[in-house]
Amino acid sequence: MSRPKNDTFLRALLKEPTEYTPLWLMRQAGRYLPEYCETRKRAGDFLKLCKSPALACEVTLQPLARYDLDAAILFSDILTVPDAMGLGLYFAEGEGPRFERPLREEWAINNLSAPDSYEHLGYVMDAVGEIRRALDNSVPLIGFSGSPYTLACYMVEGQGSSDFRHIKGMLYNRPDLLHRILSVTADAVTSYLNAQIDSGAQAVMIFDTWGGSLSHAAYREFSLAYMQRIVAGLQKEKDGQRIPCIVFTKNGGLWLEQIAAIGCDAVGLDWTVDIGEARRRVGDQVALQGNLDPNVLFAAPEIVAAEARKVLDSFGPGNTGHVFNLGHGISQFTPPESVTALVEAVHGHSRLLRK
Amino acid sequence: MSRPKNDTFLRALLKEPTEYTPLWLMRQAGRYLPEYCETRKRAGDFLKLCKSPALACEVTLQPLARYDLDAAILFSDILTVPDAMGLGLYFAEGEGPRFERPLREEWAINNLSAPDSYEHLGYVMDAVGEIRRALDNSVPLIGFSGSPYTLACYMVEGQGSSDFRHIKGMLYNRPDLLHRILSVTADAVTSYLNAQIDSGAQAVMIFDTWGGSLSHAAYREFSLAYMQRIVAGLQKEKDGQRIPCIVFTKNGGLWLEQIAAIGCDAVGLDWTVDIGEARRRVGDQVALQGNLDPNVLFAAPEIVAAEARKVLDSFGPGNTGHVFNLGHGISQFTPPESVTALVEAVHGHSRLLRK
């Protein structure tokens, strides 16, 4: 199977020359799009939307119909894996995700096992296949998973948290129990991402949303080590094409050198890092993805364009190694016109910079 | 007036030799102490507790009665300054702080002015005086304020926020308005801290809780620049004693060099930074304060002690320049016995290291 017609995203990740800087947006299929809200309403609730391959495919394609984006990303939730482990994912109205059975008892942790990705997460693999067919080789499809530590945060806390005191209490008091959770989860994520690759994902990304809440030492031991294990276990090629892997730890700017060394192809950056400085620190080893503050998209179009140009200018000269993105998911309150301004600015200015 | 009998904290900040590493804890007078909850109940609500000099003095002293801490910190709320500006601070039951009149309209921003610290915040100055008398020169008293950007977050959002979209929207769309808010607030904070110093505070700390949510460039322009202005405007001596100033930006680990250069005596660190590395980066210029993850205090006493020793060992040899603290405020769920273990470990191990 050949590369997609627009393979700029894949080439940038693999540090092959590109004519412009490709971009996609974390959470690009989301509530800022009226058509997404429409489909979600039709689905009934968020989980039904995730679990229906047809609807997941529909919303995955929506931002690509509106904007000249260089990649699609599978529409799903990061908590599908612990849900498949039997923790009982649900969404309380107007609140974030919750688990019916938070993981805190030793017996429950000992009983934890990695789900079969095809049997228990077949709806995700079906969605990947359906999206690939619908994309018809136009742009690449990104598969993804939460990192083991990020998934464990939700599994142990039972919901989002501002202090993570249950999981941190376990980390310091019973590191053996947390290592057991992380080990099983890392196996589950490896199998899950490999199944996505087998089903058609052309790149994969690991979202480590909460690793940045750890101390420098705990980050290495409880988050990075498990992402390294996953990266080592990933299928590297499919049909003769390299499958690049992106690792993103939010608030991980202090640890870029360590992240870049785990064998991934690219490192995601949030907006607290100057991307030019990040490139000087690790740019020989990996491609970089990022890193505009999503709140810039609340500004007028000319300001959006100016801020996007600053990121490109900071990355500096060269014709590859950068995938433009936000430093975090796009806000549900974003005016859709802002994204038009952003896409034009990134594509236009990066072409100019290559001249 | 002479230095307090135990001036270890002041000496560590000024990089004079000390026999052990001094410590205090952010939010040390707080809900983890049963006696604090008792006083608060008696006060009726949190704001009344802040606004009563007698009760503020009572709770300030409570942790010192229990533990061998090396400094007291004024009990107050960071939002007293915007409250004195007329925004109407209140606490909704079971929720965080809120303002009745969030600051979003241009006319309201133009009308904003710095309050007179003695007239409008006299209750704080009275508390400082009362606490100093009660301390009877045993340990030094720390005064404090929120940073202008952190205060502005609450002033513009009207409450805490997970995305800061109102203030960030203003930052990118109407930076002139945000600069006006920050400029007035910086003047107010300068006057507020100088009034605390005049009333008896022997060191001051600026808490920049939310500066770390900014991009690298916005942090310099909208947070750090205003803290620099405050530091430049602070009274440096009182009664022949130097008044040291500590600046703490949570999640500011990437920017330590810049923070250390604004003229403060010490830089606060959260737990994401290795304090030894921080020392190598900026330790010639400033003292360092930090940086244990407050969640360590949920662990057993011997683990608390071991983690505290790791911080001291990482800071490394030398007999000054480190004030031990947590990387953030102590959690309300902390078992009080954990603090006993922490204080013993810090004092004991740091004495050993000096041998």
Side-chain angles (χ1 to χ4, degrees):
Chain A
M1 197 183 281
S2 64
R3 278 192 178 181
K5 282 172 215 103
N6 175 359
D7 65 350
T8 322
F9 166 76
L10 295 174
R11 281 190 278 132
L13 289 180
L14 298 172
K15 298 190 142 202
E16 300 169 12
T18 63
E19 289 138 45
Y20 61 88
T21 301
L23 93 160
W24 68 280
L25 306 179
M26 290 191 263
R27 219 187 287 149
Q28 64 190 19
R31 282 183 283 179
Y32 73 106
L33 292 176
E35 57 270 33
Y36 170 90
C37 296
E38 185 60 40
T39 309
R40 180 170 161 166
K41 212 163 134 190
R42 208 156 16 98
D45 70 36
F46 178 71
L47 262 186
K48 283 193 191 134
L49 183 51
C50 293
K51 293 191 175 181
S52 155
L55 295 179
C57 176
E58 184 177 313
V59 297
T60 297
L61 298 184
Q62 285 169 346
L64 297 154
R66 255 188 200 256
Y67 309 116
D68 190 14
L69 297 164
D70 298 287
I73 180 159
L74 165 69
F75 180 83
S76 190
D77 190 77
I78 61 163
L79 300 181
T80 51
V81 170
D83 183 52
M85 286 168 162
L87 273 70
L89 178 64
Y90 70 102
F91 287 80
E93 191 57 40
E95 315 228 359
R98 305 224 167 166
F99 285 113
E100 285 166 26
R101 292 169 289 282
L103 199 58
R104 296 189 196 156
E105 304 296 329
E106 187 155 1
W107 65 264
I109 293 167
N110 287 331
N111 281 343
L112 194 71
S113 67
D116 182 289
S117 298
Y118 292 99
E119 193 185 329
H120 300 285
L121 293 154
Y123 63 92
V124 175
M125 307 315 148
D126 291 344
V128 170
E130 195 155 335
I131 297 164
R132 276 297 306 274
R133 285 188 292 280
L135 282 173
D136 193 23
N137 236 18
S138 53
V139 293
L141 175 63
I142 308 166
F144 76 93
S145 172
S147 73
Y149 184 74
T150 294
L151 297 180
C153 281
Y154 289 101
M155 291 159 78
V156 174
E157 300 290 338
Q159 59 187 75
S161 172
S162 61
D163 60 4
F164 299 108
R165 69 195 165 94
H166 294 109
I167 191 167
K168 293 268 192 97
M170 189 186 289
L171 186 155
Y172 289 113
N173 253 326
R174 289 295 306 271
D176 59 315
L177 293 185
L178 185 54
H179 277 303
R180 157 99 189 134
I181 296 175
L182 293 168
S183 178
V184 173
T185 306
D187 289 348
V189 169
T190 308
S191 139
Y192 182 56
L193 289 175
N194 278 332
Q196 289 183 35
I197 292 168
D198 257 337
S199 304
Q202 292 149 299
V204 291
M205 176 156 168
I206 303 172
F207 287 83
D208 186 28
T209 314
W210 297 122
S213 68
L214 289 169
S215 78
H216 52 98
Y219 174 71
R220 282 197 303 273
E221 180 177 347
F222 295 92
S223 185
L224 193 62
Y226 290 94
M227 295 199 286
Q228 180 160 22
R229 199 160 117 181
I230 293 167
V231 170
L234 286 180
Q235 194 175 325
K236 297 287 179 292
E237 286 204 356
K238 175 82 194 297
D239 304 327
Q241 302 296 326
R242 166 100 187 164
I243 308 290
C245 169
I246 309 162
V247 170
F248 173 50
T249 294
K250 182 141 193 290
N251 283 318
L254 280 165
W255 310 317
L256 296 182
E257 291 85 352
Q258 298 169 37
I259 303 171
I262 67 168
C264 54
D265 299 281
V267 172
L269 304 175
D270 67 32
W271 60 87
T272 60
V273 192
D274 180 323
I275 195 171
E277 216 169 286
R279 189 184 187 190
R280 283 185 288 279
R281 285 168 60 193
V282 300
D284 283 346
Q285 256 179 302
V286 289
L288 295 172
Q289 177 173 280
N291 69 340
L292 192 72
D293 184 345
N295 287 294
V296 166
L297 299 179
F298 293 119
E302 64 276 16
I303 296 173
V304 171
E307 292 291 328
R309 287 194 298 268
K310 282 186 200 168
V311 172
L312 293 166
D313 290 341
S314 170
F315 184 82
N319 60 4
T320 187
H322 182 202
V323 171
F324 197 99
N325 207 316
L326 305 177
H328 191 59
I330 187 167
S331 161
Q332 62 174 302
F333 303 106
T334 307
E337 315 80 73
S338 290
V339 177
T340 312
L342 178 66
V343 174
E344 279 172 15
V346 171
H347 284 168
H349 190 64
S350 64
R351 280 184 198 276
L352 271 181
L353 285 179
R354 278 163 175 74
K355 275 185 188 159
Chain B
M1 199 182 282
S2 64
R3 280 194 180 179
K5 282 173 215 101
N6 175 357
D7 65 349
T8 322
F9 166 76
L10 295 174
R11 280 189 280 133
L13 289 180
L14 298 173
K15 298 189 142 205
E16 300 169 12
T18 63
E19 288 138 46
Y20 61 88
T21 301
L23 93 158
W24 67 280
L25 306 178
M26 291 192 265
R27 221 188 285 152
Q28 63 190 23
R31 283 182 283 179
Y32 73 106
L33 292 177
E35 57 271 32
Y36 170 91
C37 296
E38 185 58 41
T39 309
R40 181 171 160 165
K41 213 163 135 191
R42 208 156 15 98
D45 70 36
F46 178 71
L47 262 186
K48 281 190 194 137
L49 184 51
C50 293
K51 293 192 175 181
S52 154
L55 295 179
C57 175
E58 182 177 316
V59 297
T60 297
L61 298 185
Q62 285 168 348
L64 297 154
R66 256 190 199 255
Y67 310 115
D68 189 15
L69 297 164
D70 298 288
I73 180 161
L74 165 68
F75 180 83
S76 191
D77 191 78
I78 61 163
L79 299 180
T80 50
V81 170
D83 183 52
M85 286 167 158
L87 273 69
L89 177 64
Y90 70 103
F91 287 79
E93 191 56 39
E95 316 228 358
R98 306 224 165 166
F99 284 114
E100 285 167 23
R101 292 168 288 282
L103 200 59
R104 296 191 194 152
E105 305 297 329
E106 187 157 0
W107 65 264
I109 293 167
N110 287 331
N111 281 343
L112 194 71
S113 68
D116 181 290
S117 296
Y118 292 98
E119 193 184 329
H120 300 287
L121 293 155
Y123 63 91
V124 176
M125 307 316 146
D126 291 343
V128 170
E130 195 154 336
I131 297 164
R132 275 298 306 274
R133 282 188 294 278
L135 283 173
D136 192 24
N137 235 19
S138 53
V139 293
L141 174 63
I142 308 167
F144 75 94
S145 171
S147 74
Y149 184 74
T150 294
L151 297 180
C153 281
Y154 289 100
M155 291 159 78
V156 174
E157 300 291 337
Q159 61 187 73
S161 172
S162 61
D163 60 3
F164 299 106
R165 68 195 165 94
H166 293 110
I167 192 166
K168 292 268 193 99
M170 189 186 287
L171 186 157
Y172 289 112
N173 253 327
R174 289 295 306 272
D176 59 316
L177 293 185
L178 185 53
H179 277 303
R180 156 100 189 132
I181 296 174
L182 294 168
S183 178
V184 173
T185 306
D187 289 347
V189 169
T190 308
S191 137
Y192 183 56
L193 289 176
N194 279 331
Q196 289 182 35
I197 293 169
D198 258 336
S199 305
Q202 291 147 299
V204 291
M205 174 156 170
I206 304 173
F207 286 83
D208 187 28
T209 315
W210 297 120
S213 68
L214 290 168
S215 77
H216 52 97
Y219 173 71
R220 281 198 302 275
E221 182 178 346
F222 295 93
S223 186
L224 192 63
Y226 290 95
M227 293 198 288
Q228 180 159 23
R229 202 160 115 181
I230 293 167
V231 171
L234 285 181
Q235 195 175 324
K236 297 286 178 292
E237 288 203 354
K238 176 83 193 299
D239 303 327
Q241 301 295 326
R242 168 99 186 165
I243 308 290
C245 169
I246 309 161
V247 170
F248 173 51
T249 294
K250 181 141 194 290
N251 283 317
L254 280 165
W255 311 317
L256 295 182
E257 291 85 349
Q258 297 168 39
I259 302 171
I262 67 167
C264 52
D265 299 281
V267 172
L269 305 175
D270 66 32
W271 61 86
T272 61
V273 192
D274 180 322
I275 195 170
E277 216 170 285
R279 189 184 186 189
R280 284 185 285 281
R281 284 167 62 194
V282 301
D284 283 345
Q285 257 180 302
V286 288
L288 295 173
Q289 177 173 280
N291 71 340
L292 191 73
D293 184 344
N295 288 293
V296 167
L297 300 179
F298 292 119
E302 64 276 15
I303 297 174
V304 171
E307 292 291 328
R309 287 193 297 267
K310 282 186 199 168
V311 172
L312 293 167
D313 290 342
S314 171
F315 184 83
N319 61 4
T320 187
H322 182 203
V323 171
F324 197 100
N325 207 318
L326 305 177
H328 192 59
I330 188 167
S331 162
Q332 62 174 302
F333 303 107
T334 306
E337 314 80 72
S338 291
V339 177
T340 311
L342 178 66
V343 174
E344 278 171 16
V346 171
H347 284 169
H349 190 63
S350 64
R351 280 183 198 275
L352 271 181
L353 285 179
R354 278 166 176 72
K355 277 184 184 159

